[in-house]
Amino acid sequence: LTLLSSQSELKKTYTELTKSRTRYRLAVQGTRAGIYELDLVNNSAFVSPQWKVLLGYSEDDTTDFTLESLKKTLHPEDYKENEIVFKFSKNEKSYQHEFRIKTKKGQYKWFLASGVVQLENDQPVMIVGSIIDINERKITEQELLSKNIELAKTNKELDRFVYSASHDMRAPLSSLLGLIDVAEKSDDPADLPMCFSMMKKRIGTMEGFIREVTDYSRNSRLEITNQDINLHEFFNQAFENLEFSFPKDFIQFENTIAKGLVLYSDPNRIKVVFNNLLSNAIKYSDPQKQTHFIKCNAEIVGSKVCIEIADNGIGIEQEHQKKVFEMFYRASDRSEGSGLGLYLVSETLQRLKGTISCESQFGEGTKFKICLPF
């Protein structure tokens, strides 16, 4: 009777254990969580089939995971923040962290890890926990954060834009009104040609500002449309379009870009970049020098095309060189423009996933280097 009773209890216990295991398995499958068990004493690890699947392995993968190998899968930027996963005091018996883990393919994905720690004599000896894939949520959060940062930047620039634009448009208009008043009151017909010449100059300043504003708006709103661009021919055309703005033979233009070099990019945006840089080189030529030049060259560096535009103009003082790409920044007293030109160049190249840098020696000249995806 005692034996039968023991067998009955054993069977009942087995049945309950089977039910518990079934409930546990269904619960784990329902959460799609990957289970791991870390033996801190023997430096060994057990991971469930679902854990392997989440990290890009097959369920029956035979990879030997250890505590050290699992540590190495954590993203370097996240590891220090989450050392608590592997270091506990007697008051730290559970944890929950978000961090990136390297998958079998070498890519990092975001996971939420939760676990509990088994302690013996206040020392951790075993960690049991789970991971849940939160990669899509983290990517969405990061995209939202990036958009918020961009929105804050746009709002700040808009405030500056409204203030500076109103000033820059008002100044030439006020000047025009003054010149008209002078022309109306003058009794000497010889004064009129000078007044008209100055009026044209003020109108040209306004036209340049309006063109820059239009280019800025287009760059921020229009989609990128790429096509093949022959850089040698494109540079020649950009320079020819500016020839009316300076006396004939005043500047020597040297284009050493290989004639067969083709860039796949947005021609309208590239035109804005070249026009601004070339017109600046012309505008800030050094009147103290007998000869003036603009040199253009390009070379393929890895997966990029790097373009250099150099001149022997007045140059940019060291203190201004890091600020020339800021909105409405004027680095020279000779500047009559809006201060939008180089800012527009920088923003345009950013849209094209390119970069620009400036090297200059005051009194010697300036060189801009552009790098674009090839």
Coordinates of all heavy atoms in Angstrom, one line a residue, residues 106-180:
G106 N 27.2 39.5 -38.0 CA 28.1 40.6 -37.7 C 27.4 41.9 -37.5 O 28.0 43.0 -37.3
Q107 N 26.0 41.9 -37.6 CA 25.3 43.2 -37.5 C 24.8 43.3 -36.0 O 24.5 42.3 -35.4 CB 24.1 43.2 -38.4 CG 24.5 43.0 -39.9 CD 23.3 42.8 -40.8 OE1 22.3 42.2 -40.4 NE2 23.4 43.2 -42.0
Y108 N 24.6 44.5 -35.6 CA 24.1 44.8 -34.2 C 22.6 45.0 -34.3 O 22.1 45.8 -35.1 CB 24.8 46.0 -33.6 CG 26.2 45.6 -33.1 CD1 27.3 46.0 -33.9 CD2 26.5 45.0 -31.9 CE1 28.6 45.7 -33.4 CE2 27.7 44.7 -31.5 CZ 28.8 45.1 -32.3 OH 30.1 44.8 -31.8
K109 N 21.9 44.4 -33.3 CA 20.5 44.6 -33.1 C 20.2 44.9 -31.7 O 20.9 44.5 -30.8 CB 19.7 43.4 -33.6 CG 19.7 43.0 -35.0 CD 18.9 41.8 -35.4 CE 17.5 42.0 -35.1 NZ 16.7 40.8 -35.5
W110 N 19.1 45.7 -31.5 CA 18.7 46.1 -30.1 C 17.9 45.0 -29.5 O 17.0 44.5 -30.1 CB 18.0 47.4 -30.1 CG 18.8 48.6 -30.3 CD1 19.0 49.3 -31.5 CD2 19.5 49.3 -29.3 NE1 19.9 50.4 -31.2 CE2 20.2 50.4 -29.9 CE3 19.7 49.1 -27.9 CZ2 20.9 51.3 -29.2 CZ3 20.4 50.0 -27.2 CH2 21.1 51.1 -27.8
F111 N 18.2 44.7 -28.2 CA 17.4 43.7 -27.4 C 17.2 44.3 -26.0 O 18.0 45.1 -25.5 CB 18.2 42.4 -27.3 CG 18.3 41.6 -28.6 CD1 19.4 41.8 -29.4 CD2 17.3 40.7 -28.9 CE1 19.5 41.2 -30.6 CE2 17.4 40.0 -30.1 CZ 18.5 40.2 -31.0
L112 N 16.1 43.9 -25.4 CA 15.8 44.1 -24.0 C 16.1 42.8 -23.3 O 15.6 41.8 -23.5 CB 14.3 44.5 -23.8 CG 13.9 44.6 -22.3 CD1 14.6 45.7 -21.6 CD2 12.3 44.7 -22.3
A113 N 17.1 43.0 -22.3 CA 17.5 41.8 -21.5 C 17.0 42.0 -20.1 O 17.2 43.0 -19.5 CB 19.1 41.7 -21.6
S114 N 16.4 40.9 -19.6 CA 16.0 40.9 -18.2 C 16.5 39.6 -17.6 O 16.6 38.6 -18.3 CB 14.4 40.9 -18.2 OG 13.9 42.0 -18.9
G115 N 16.8 39.7 -16.3 CA 17.3 38.5 -15.6 C 17.3 38.6 -14.1 O 17.1 39.6 -13.6
V116 N 17.6 37.4 -13.5 CA 17.8 37.4 -12.1 C 19.1 36.7 -11.8 O 19.6 35.9 -12.6 CB 16.6 36.6 -11.4 CG1 15.3 37.4 -11.5 CG2 16.5 35.2 -12.0
V117 N 19.6 37.0 -10.6 CA 20.9 36.4 -10.2 C 20.8 35.5 -9.0 O 20.1 35.9 -8.0 CB 21.9 37.6 -9.9 CG1 23.3 37.1 -9.6 CG2 21.9 38.6 -11.0
Q118 N 21.4 34.4 -9.0 CA 21.5 33.5 -7.9 C 22.8 33.8 -7.1 O 23.9 33.8 -7.7 CB 21.5 32.0 -8.4 CG 21.6 31.0 -7.2 CD 21.7 29.6 -7.7 OE1 21.4 29.3 -8.8 NE2 22.1 28.7 -6.8
L119 N 22.6 34.0 -5.8 CA 23.8 34.4 -5.0 C 24.1 33.3 -4.0 O 23.2 32.6 -3.5 CB 23.5 35.7 -4.2 CG 23.1 36.9 -5.0 CD1 22.8 38.1 -4.1 CD2 24.3 37.3 -5.9
E120 N 25.3 33.1 -3.7 CA 25.8 32.2 -2.7 C 26.9 33.0 -1.9 O 27.9 33.4 -2.5 CB 26.4 30.9 -3.3 CG 25.3 30.0 -3.8 CD 26.0 28.7 -4.3 OE1 27.2 28.5 -4.1 OE2 25.2 27.9 -4.9
N121 N 26.6 33.1 -0.6 CA 27.5 33.9 0.2 C 27.7 35.3 -0.3 O 28.8 35.8 -0.4 CB 28.9 33.2 0.4 CG 28.7 31.8 1.0 OD1 27.9 31.7 2.0 ND2 29.5 30.9 0.5
D122 N 26.6 35.9 -0.8 CA 26.6 37.2 -1.3 C 27.4 37.4 -2.6 O 27.7 38.5 -3.0 CB 27.1 38.3 -0.3 CG 26.2 38.4 0.9 OD1 25.0 38.2 0.7 OD2 26.6 38.8 2.0
Q123 N 27.7 36.3 -3.3 CA 28.5 36.3 -4.5 C 27.6 35.7 -5.6 O 27.0 34.7 -5.4 CB 29.8 35.5 -4.4 CG 30.8 36.1 -3.4 CD 31.2 37.5 -3.9 OE1 31.5 37.7 -5.0 NE2 31.4 38.4 -2.9
P124 N 27.5 36.4 -6.8 CA 26.7 35.8 -7.9 C 27.4 34.5 -8.4 O 28.6 34.5 -8.7 CB 26.7 36.9 -8.9 CG 28.0 37.7 -8.6 CD 28.2 37.6 -7.2
V125 N 26.6 33.5 -8.6 CA 27.1 32.3 -9.2 C 26.3 31.8 -10.4 O 26.8 31.1 -11.2 CB 27.0 31.1 -8.1 CG1 28.0 31.4 -7.0 CG2 25.6 30.9 -7.6
M126 N 25.1 32.4 -10.6 CA 24.3 32.0 -11.7 C 23.4 33.1 -12.1 O 22.9 33.9 -11.3 CB 23.4 30.8 -11.4 CG 22.6 30.2 -12.5 SD 23.6 29.3 -13.7 CE 24.0 27.8 -12.7
I127 N 23.3 33.3 -13.4 CA 22.4 34.3 -14.0 C 21.4 33.7 -15.0 O 21.9 32.9 -15.9 CB 23.1 35.5 -14.7 CG1 24.1 36.2 -13.8 CG2 22.1 36.5 -15.3 CD1 25.0 37.2 -14.5
V128 N 20.2 33.9 -14.8 CA 19.1 33.3 -15.7 C 18.3 34.5 -16.2 O 17.8 35.3 -15.4 CB 18.2 32.3 -15.0 CG1 17.2 31.8 -16.0 CG2 19.0 31.2 -14.4
G129 N 18.2 34.6 -17.5 CA 17.5 35.7 -18.1 C 16.9 35.5 -19.5 O 17.0 34.4 -20.0
S130 N 16.4 36.5 -20.1 CA 15.8 36.4 -21.4 C 16.1 37.7 -22.2 O 16.4 38.8 -21.6 CB 14.3 36.2 -21.3 OG 13.7 37.4 -20.7
I131 N 16.1 37.6 -23.5 CA 16.2 38.7 -24.4 C 15.0 38.8 -25.3 O 14.5 37.8 -25.7 CB 17.5 38.7 -25.2 CG1 17.6 37.4 -26.1 CG2 18.7 38.8 -24.3 CD1 18.7 37.4 -27.1
I132 N 14.6 40.0 -25.6 CA 13.4 40.3 -26.5 C 13.9 41.3 -27.6 O 14.6 42.3 -27.3 CB 12.2 40.8 -25.8 CG1 11.7 39.8 -24.7 CG2 11.1 41.2 -26.7 CD1 10.6 40.4 -23.8
D133 N 13.6 41.0 -28.8 CA 14.0 41.8 -29.9 C 13.2 43.2 -29.9 O 12.0 43.2 -30.0 CB 13.7 41.1 -31.3 CG 14.3 41.9 -32.5 OD1 14.6 43.1 -32.3 OD2 14.4 41.3 -33.6
I134 N 13.9 44.3 -29.7 CA 13.3 45.6 -29.7 C 13.9 46.5 -30.8 O 13.9 47.7 -30.7 CB 13.4 46.3 -28.3 CG1 14.9 46.4 -27.9 CG2 12.6 45.5 -27.3 CD1 15.0 47.3 -26.7
N135 N 14.5 45.9 -31.8 CA 15.3 46.6 -32.8 C 14.4 47.6 -33.5 O 14.9 48.8 -33.7 CB 15.9 45.6 -33.8 CG 17.1 46.3 -34.5 OD1 18.0 46.8 -33.9 ND2 17.0 46.3 -35.8
E136 N 13.3 47.2 -34.0 CA 12.4 48.2 -34.7 C 12.0 49.4 -33.9 O 12.0 50.5 -34.4 CB 11.2 47.4 -35.3 CG 11.5 46.4 -36.4 CD 10.2 45.9 -37.0 OE1 9.1 46.4 -36.7 OE2 10.3 44.9 -37.8
R137 N 11.7 49.1 -32.6 CA 11.3 50.2 -31.7 C 12.4 51.2 -31.5 O 12.2 52.4 -31.6 CB 10.8 49.7 -30.4 CG 10.5 50.8 -29.4 CD 9.9 50.2 -28.1 NE 10.8 49.4 -27.3 CZ 11.7 49.9 -26.5 NH1 11.9 51.2 -26.4 NH2 12.5 49.1 -25.8
K138 N 13.7 50.7 -31.3 CA 14.8 51.5 -31.1 C 15.1 52.3 -32.3 O 15.5 53.5 -32.2 CB 16.0 50.7 -30.7 CG 15.9 50.0 -29.3 CD 15.8 51.1 -28.2 CE 17.1 51.8 -28.0 NZ 17.1 52.7 -26.8
I139 N 15.0 51.7 -33.5 CA 15.3 52.4 -34.8 C 14.3 53.6 -34.9 O 14.6 54.7 -35.3 CB 15.2 51.5 -36.0 CG1 16.4 50.5 -35.9 CG2 15.2 52.2 -37.3 CD1 16.4 49.5 -37.0
T140 N 13.0 53.3 -34.6 CA 12.0 54.3 -34.7 C 12.2 55.4 -33.7 O 12.1 56.6 -34.1 CB 10.6 53.7 -34.4 OG1 10.3 52.6 -35.3 CG2 9.5 54.7 -34.5
E141 N 12.7 55.1 -32.5 CA 13.0 56.1 -31.5 C 14.2 57.0 -32.0 O 14.1 58.2 -31.8 CB 13.4 55.4 -30.2 CG 12.2 54.8 -29.4 CD 12.6 54.1 -28.2 OE1 13.8 54.1 -27.9 OE2 11.7 53.6 -27.4
Q142 N 15.2 56.4 -32.6 CA 16.3 57.1 -33.0 C 16.0 58.0 -34.2 O 16.5 59.1 -34.3 CB 17.5 56.1 -33.4 CG 18.1 55.4 -32.2 CD 19.0 54.3 -32.6 OE1 19.0 53.8 -33.8 NE2 19.8 53.8 -31.7
E143 N 15.1 57.5 -35.1 CA 14.7 58.3 -36.2 C 13.9 59.5 -35.7 O 14.0 60.6 -36.2 CB 13.8 57.5 -37.2 CG 14.6 56.5 -38.0 CD 13.7 55.6 -38.9 OE1 12.5 55.6 -38.7 OE2 14.3 54.8 -39.7
L144 N 13.0 59.3 -34.7 CA 12.2 60.4 -34.1 C 13.1 61.4 -33.5 O 12.9 62.6 -33.6 CB 11.2 59.8 -33.1 CG 10.3 60.8 -32.5 CD1 9.4 61.5 -33.6 CD2 9.4 60.1 -31.5
L145 N 14.2 60.9 -32.8 CA 15.1 61.8 -32.1 C 15.8 62.6 -33.2 O 16.0 63.9 -33.0 CB 16.1 61.0 -31.3 CG 17.2 61.8 -30.6 CD1 16.6 62.8 -29.6 CD2 18.2 60.9 -29.8
S146 N 16.3 62.0 -34.2 CA 17.0 62.7 -35.3 C 16.1 63.7 -35.9 O 16.6 64.9 -36.2 CB 17.4 61.7 -36.4 OG 18.1 62.3 -37.4
K147 N 14.8 63.4 -36.2 CA 13.9 64.4 -36.8 C 13.7 65.6 -35.8 O 13.5 66.7 -36.2 CB 12.6 63.7 -37.1 CG 12.7 62.8 -38.3 CD 11.4 62.1 -38.6 CE 11.5 61.2 -39.8 NZ 10.3 60.4 -40.1
N148 N 13.6 65.3 -34.5 CA 13.4 66.4 -33.5 C 14.6 67.3 -33.5 O 14.5 68.5 -33.4 CB 13.2 65.8 -32.1 CG 11.8 65.2 -32.0 OD1 10.9 65.5 -32.7 ND2 11.6 64.3 -31.0
I149 N 15.8 66.7 -33.6 CA 17.0 67.5 -33.6 C 17.1 68.4 -34.9 O 17.4 69.6 -34.9 CB 18.3 66.6 -33.6 CG1 18.4 65.9 -32.2 CG2 19.5 67.4 -33.8 CD1 19.5 64.9 -32.1
E150 N 16.7 67.7 -36.0 CA 16.7 68.5 -37.3 C 15.6 69.6 -37.2 O 15.8 70.7 -37.8 CB 16.3 67.5 -38.4 CG 16.4 68.1 -39.8 CD 17.8 68.6 -40.2 OE1 18.8 68.1 -39.7 OE2 17.8 69.6 -41.0
L151 N 14.5 69.3 -36.6 CA 13.4 70.3 -36.5 C 13.9 71.5 -35.7 O 13.6 72.7 -36.0 CB 12.1 69.7 -35.9 CG 10.9 70.6 -35.7 CD1 10.5 71.2 -37.1 CD2 9.8 69.9 -35.1
A152 N 14.6 71.2 -34.5 CA 15.1 72.3 -33.7 C 16.1 73.1 -34.4 O 16.1 74.3 -34.3 CB 15.7 71.7 -32.4
K153 N 16.9 72.4 -35.2 CA 17.9 73.1 -36.1 C 17.2 74.0 -37.1 O 17.6 75.2 -37.3 CB 18.8 72.1 -36.8 CG 19.8 72.7 -37.8 CD 20.7 71.6 -38.3 CE 21.7 72.1 -39.4 NZ 21.0 72.4 -40.7
T154 N 16.2 73.5 -37.7 CA 15.5 74.3 -38.7 C 14.8 75.5 -38.1 O 14.8 76.6 -38.7 CB 14.4 73.4 -39.4 OG1 15.1 72.2 -40.0 CG2 13.6 74.1 -40.5
N155 N 14.2 75.3 -37.0 CA 13.5 76.4 -36.3 C 14.5 77.5 -35.9 O 14.2 78.7 -36.1 CB 12.8 75.9 -35.0 CG 11.5 75.2 -35.4 OD1 10.9 75.3 -36.5 ND2 11.1 74.3 -34.5
K156 N 15.7 77.1 -35.4 CA 16.7 78.1 -35.1 C 17.2 78.8 -36.3 O 17.3 80.1 -36.3 CB 17.9 77.3 -34.4 CG 19.0 78.3 -33.9 CD 20.1 77.5 -33.2 CE 21.2 78.4 -32.7 NZ 22.3 77.7 -32.1
E157 N 17.4 78.1 -37.4 CA 17.8 78.7 -38.6 C 16.8 79.6 -39.2 O 17.1 80.7 -39.8 CB 18.3 77.7 -39.6 CG 19.5 76.9 -39.3 CD 19.9 75.8 -40.2 OE1 19.0 75.5 -41.1 OE2 21.0 75.3 -40.1
L158 N 15.5 79.2 -39.0 CA 14.4 80.1 -39.5 C 14.4 81.4 -38.8 O 14.2 82.5 -39.5 CB 13.1 79.3 -39.4 CG 11.8 80.0 -39.9 CD1 12.0 80.3 -41.4 CD2 10.6 79.2 -39.6
D159 N 14.6 81.4 -37.5 CA 14.6 82.6 -36.7 C 15.7 83.5 -37.2 O 15.5 84.7 -37.5 CB 14.8 82.3 -35.3 CG 13.6 81.7 -34.6 OD1 12.5 81.8 -35.2 OD2 13.7 81.1 -33.6
R160 N 16.9 83.0 -37.4 CA 18.0 83.8 -37.9 C 17.8 84.2 -39.3 O 18.1 85.4 -39.7 CB 19.3 82.9 -37.9 CG 19.8 82.6 -36.5 CD 21.1 81.8 -36.6 NE 22.1 82.6 -37.3 CZ 23.2 82.1 -37.7 NH1 23.5 80.8 -37.6 NH2 24.1 82.8 -38.3
F161 N 17.1 83.4 -40.1 CA 16.9 83.7 -41.5 C 15.9 84.9 -41.7 O 16.2 85.8 -42.4 CB 16.3 82.5 -42.2 CG 16.0 82.7 -43.7 CD1 17.1 82.5 -44.6 CD2 14.8 83.0 -44.2 CE1 16.9 82.7 -45.9 CE2 14.6 83.2 -45.5 CZ 15.6 83.1 -46.4
V162 N 14.8 84.8 -40.9 CA 13.9 85.9 -41.0 C 14.5 87.3 -40.6 O 14.3 88.3 -41.2 CB 12.7 85.6 -40.1 CG1 11.8 86.9 -40.0 CG2 11.9 84.4 -40.6
Y163 N 15.3 87.2 -39.5 CA 15.9 88.4 -39.0 C 16.9 89.0 -40.0 O 16.9 90.2 -40.4 CB 16.6 88.2 -37.7 CG 17.5 89.4 -37.2 CD1 16.9 90.4 -36.6 CD2 18.8 89.4 -37.4 CE1 17.6 91.5 -36.1 CE2 19.6 90.4 -36.9 CZ 19.0 91.5 -36.3 OH 19.7 92.6 -35.9
S164 N 17.9 88.1 -40.5 CA 18.9 88.6 -41.4 C 18.4 88.9 -42.8 O 18.8 89.8 -43.4 CB 20.0 87.5 -41.5 OG 20.6 87.3 -40.2
A165 N 17.4 88.1 -43.2 CA 16.9 88.3 -44.6 C 16.2 89.6 -44.7 O 16.3 90.4 -45.7 CB 15.9 87.2 -45.0
S166 N 15.4 90.0 -43.6 CA 14.7 91.3 -43.7 C 15.7 92.4 -43.7 O 15.5 93.4 -44.4 CB 13.8 91.4 -42.4 OG 14.6 91.3 -41.2
H167 N 16.8 92.2 -43.0 CA 17.9 93.3 -43.0 C 18.5 93.4 -44.3 O 18.8 94.5 -44.9 CB 18.9 93.0 -41.9 CG 20.0 93.9 -41.9 ND1 21.2 93.7 -42.6 CD2 20.2 95.1 -41.2 CE1 22.0 94.7 -42.4 NE2 21.5 95.6 -41.6
D168 N 18.9 92.2 -44.9 CA 19.7 92.2 -46.1 C 18.8 92.7 -47.3 O 19.4 93.2 -48.3 CB 20.2 90.8 -46.4 CG 21.3 90.4 -45.5 OD1 21.9 91.3 -44.9 OD2 21.6 89.2 -45.3
M169 N 17.5 92.5 -47.2 CA 16.7 93.0 -48.3 C 16.3 94.5 -48.1 O 16.2 95.2 -49.1 CB 15.4 92.2 -48.4 CG 15.6 90.7 -48.8 SD 14.1 89.8 -49.2 CE 13.6 90.6 -50.7
R170 N 16.3 94.9 -46.9 CA 15.9 96.3 -46.6 C 17.1 97.2 -47.0 O 16.9 98.3 -47.5 CB 15.6 96.5 -45.1 CG 15.0 97.8 -44.8 CD 14.8 98.0 -43.3 NE 13.8 97.0 -42.8 CZ 14.0 96.1 -42.0 NH1 15.3 96.0 -41.5 NH2 13.1 95.3 -41.6
A171 N 18.3 96.8 -46.8 CA 19.5 97.6 -47.0 C 19.6 98.1 -48.5 O 19.7 99.3 -48.7 CB 20.8 96.9 -46.6
P172 N 19.6 97.2 -49.5 CA 19.6 97.7 -50.8 C 18.4 98.5 -51.3 O 18.5 99.4 -52.1 CB 19.8 96.4 -51.7 CG 19.4 95.3 -50.8 CD 19.6 95.7 -49.4
L173 N 17.2 98.1 -50.7 CA 16.0 98.9 -51.0 C 16.2 100.3 -50.5 O 15.8 101.3 -51.2 CB 14.8 98.2 -50.4 CG 14.3 97.0 -51.1 CD1 13.2 96.4 -50.4 CD2 13.8 97.3 -52.6
S174 N 16.7 100.5 -49.3 CA 16.9 101.8 -48.7 C 17.9 102.6 -49.6 O 17.8 103.8 -49.8 CB 17.4 101.7 -47.3 OG 16.4 101.1 -46.5
S175 N 19.0 101.9 -50.0 CA 20.0 102.5 -50.8 C 19.4 102.9 -52.2 O 19.7 104.0 -52.7 CB 21.1 101.5 -51.1 OG 22.1 102.1 -51.9
L176 N 18.5 102.1 -52.8 CA 17.9 102.5 -54.0 C 17.0 103.8 -53.8 O 17.0 104.7 -54.7 CB 17.0 101.3 -54.5 CG 17.7 100.2 -55.3 CD1 16.7 99.1 -55.6 CD2 18.2 100.8 -56.6
L177 N 16.3 103.8 -52.8 CA 15.4 105.0 -52.5 C 16.3 106.2 -52.4 O 15.9 107.3 -52.9 CB 14.6 104.8 -51.2 CG 13.5 103.7 -51.3 CD1 12.8 103.5 -50.0 CD2 12.4 104.2 -52.3
G178 N 17.4 106.1 -51.7 CA 18.3 107.2 -51.5 C 18.9 107.7 -52.9 O 19.0 108.9 -53.1
L179 N 19.3 106.7 -53.7 CA 19.8 107.1 -55.0 C 18.8 107.7 -55.9 O 19.0 108.7 -56.7 CB 20.4 105.8 -55.7 CG 21.7 105.3 -55.1 CD1 22.0 103.9 -55.7 CD2 22.8 106.2 -55.4
I180 N 17.5 107.2 -55.9 CA 16.4 107.8 -56.6 C 16.2 109.3 -56.2 O 16.0 110.2 -57.0 CB 15.2 107.0 -56.5 CG1 15.3 105.7 -57.2 CG2 14.0 107.8 -57.0 CD1 14.2 104.7 -56.9

